[in-house]
Amino acid sequence: MKKKLKILALFDAIAPTSLEQDLSAELKTDDWKTEANVLAALDNLGHTTQHLAIFDDLDLLRQKLQSFQPNVIFNLADQFKNNRAFDQNIVSFLEMQGLPFTGCGSTGLTLCKHKGISKKILGYHRIHVPEFVTIARGKRIARPPRLRFPILVKPLKEEASFGIAQASFVENDEEFKERVAFIHEKYDNDVIAEEYIEGRELYVSVLGNHRLRVFPVRELVFNEVPPDEPKIATYKAKWDEEYRKRWGILNQFASQLDPALIHQLEEMSKKIYRLLAIDGYGRLDLRLTRENEIVFIEANPNPVLACDEDFAQSALGADLAYPQLIERIAQLGMTAVRD
Ligand SMILES: Nc1ncnc2c1ncn2[C@@H]1O[C@H](COP(=O)(O)OP(=O)(O)O)[C@@H](O)[C@H]1O
Ligand SMILES: [Mg+2]
């Protein structure tokens, strides 16, 4: 039996909170599924848990740490003051105090959040990445001639397919300019525009700090989307159940992958994970072209941990049940070296 721990589950909130705030209503909603699943697993494992949701008040966290003195913080806070780019700063705050926490450290979060910097690092190390350009807000919107259509226009630093719709897929300069301006204005985000990589959409889940474990590959399939249409994990394709039903969009284990190709996917995923300084747990979004070429799309440190989402499902495919997965993540958080 593993030693029982005091674990502080740290959440983010979209409005100011207090130390003893009752979150039981939130924890019953779909939006808080990950938080509820993790808390239930930690309780199940016999750990002593407390939780705290923070909006913009770090003093609450300081007080909670002082009164509870946890062995580890289970970090599920991925925004601060409604800004998702600040996830790395929350973690930096913990790192500076030498506090053990789960998931990825500030370097990995920073590198992966910036979809241009991560691709530059990987390109340098000969991982295949799409040709791309970044266009900051306020800059002239022009497509460099080397960037060929079709192109996918995305917010430079976003997650969960925010700002990604069918209209992100552009086939001429007029559509290109319109979509870039839209992301600048409506999403208040810089843009990364990438060559569209046609192929199967694969998700590879990795667990570990130094010794890495890769779980069975998942795939997003688009059963009812006609073959010549672009297949993109848009916001709706990820989160709108009715839309998913209509287009036959399913997350499932990837079938009919050659064992040699699976090995190649695993090795490449471990290499990417290390190059981008991810620790704890991460999920890599890859595309597999018709010629069986693996192309990097995005790295997700601290991917969604809800028990029915790809990361936990992938672990389950390797016979790692949900509570045991949560236990491993807590243990990895205690042994990670963060300086
Ligand atoms: N260069 C690309 N080629 C083909 N599809 C892409 C490309 N970039 C993104 N996509 C599609 O858009 C989805 C979301 O893009 P991604 O960069 O992973 O953003 P997010 O961080 O919001 O998940 C991907 O899962 C994929 O389906
Ligand atoms: Mg993604």
Side-chain angles (χ1 to χ4, degrees), residues 122 205-210 212 268-284 299-301 332:
L122 298 180
S205 296
V206 182
L207 178 73
N209 294 336
H210 298 291
L212 304 182
M268 184 164 154
S269 297
K270 285 197 249 184
K271 185 171 171 190
I272 295 171
Y273 191 95
R274 292 194 169 107
L275 286 171
L276 296 179
I278 304 177
D279 43 19
Y281 57 108
R283 197 197 70 232
L284 305 173
N300 303 282
L332 287 165

Side-chain angles (χ1 to χ4, degrees), residues 115 119 130-131 152 154-155 158-162 164 194-198 201 203 220 222 231-234 238 283 285 287 296-298 300:
K115 291 182 174 165
K119 289 194 173 71
E131 192 70 45
L152 207 75
K154 314 191 278 192
E158 263 302 355
E159 293 300 327
S161 289
F162 278 103
I164 299 182
E194 302 178 359
E195 281 186 6
Y196 177 75
I197 307 293
E198 195 175 308
E201 168 122 345
Y203 301 136
L220 186 71
F222 303 77
K231 293 168 190 65
I232 304 167
T234 59
K238 273 188 198 166
R283 197 197 70 232
D285 299 350
R287 285 224 151 182
F296 171 84
I297 299 292
E298 190 214 6
N300 303 282

Side-chain angles (χ1 to χ4, degrees), residues 6-219:
K6 285 202 288 184
I7 301 184
L8 173 63
L10 183 64
F11 310 146
D12 56 71
I14 55 169
T17 57
S18 63
L19 262 188
E20 299 307 329
Q21 187 142 349
D22 179 7
L23 296 172
S24 47
E26 283 87 346
L27 285 164
K28 290 195 185 86
T29 64
D30 236 25
D31 279 353
W32 289 63
K33 197 164 60 179
T34 298
E35 288 84 345
N37 289 168
V38 169
L39 280 179
L42 291 173
D43 285 342
N44 226 313
L45 292 158
H47 297 307
T48 303
T49 60
Q50 290 193 16
H51 57 266
L52 173 71
I54 50 167
F55 175 64
D56 67 348
D57 186 356
L58 284 177
D59 200 50
L60 286 183
L61 178 55
R62 193 189 53 75
Q63 290 177 51
K64 179 59 103 182
L65 290 168
Q66 201 157 42
S67 64
F68 184 42
Q69 305 271 333
N71 301 105
V72 61
I73 297 162
F74 207 107
N75 182 28
L76 297 173
D78 48 28
Q79 57 181 352
F80 190 76
K81 219 173 179 174
N82 290 333
N83 188 334
R84 274 180 296 275
F86 284 155
D87 56 352
Q88 66 219 34
N89 304 66
I90 300 174
V91 158
S92 299
F93 174 81
L94 303 175
E95 285 170 346
M96 283 193 294
Q97 300 173 75
L99 294 164
F101 59 89
T102 61
C104 192
S106 59
T107 306
L109 289 179
T110 307
L111 294 181
C112 296
K113 177 66 52 103
H114 194 299
K115 291 182 174 165
I117 291 179
S118 49
K119 289 194 173 71
K120 282 181 193 169
I121 293 173
L122 298 180
Y124 178 84
H125 290 279
R126 302 186 187 288
I127 305 271
H128 193 162
V129 300
E131 192 70 45
F132 71 92
V133 65
T134 59
I135 307 172
R137 282 157 288 184
K139 252 184 58 181
R140 198 172 72 87
I141 302 174
R143 175 184 60 92
R146 67 177 160 80
L147 200 63
R148 302 283 185 75
F149 292 112
I151 290 170
L152 207 75
V153 177
K154 314 191 278 192
L156 181 62
K157 297 182 185 177
E158 263 302 355
E159 293 300 327
S161 289
F162 278 103
I164 299 182
Q166 287 303 125
S168 311
F169 178 88
V170 300
E171 296 182 278
N172 57 52
D173 279 311
E174 198 185 327
E175 290 175 1
F176 176 83
K177 283 186 180 161
E178 195 180 314
R179 189 66 190 182
V180 174
F182 176 81
I183 296 297
H184 281 170
E185 284 155 27
K186 292 284 173 344
Y187 280 82
D188 197 15
N189 217 295
D190 296 337
V191 157
I192 183 164
E194 302 178 359
E195 281 186 6
Y196 177 75
I197 307 293
E198 195 175 308
R200 294 173 68 177
E201 168 122 345
L202 302 180
Y203 301 136
V204 183
S205 296
V206 182
L207 178 73
N209 294 336
H210 298 291
R211 250 190 313 121
L212 304 182
R213 188 165 170 198
V214 185
F215 298 132
V217 180
R218 303 273 296 171
E219 177 172 14

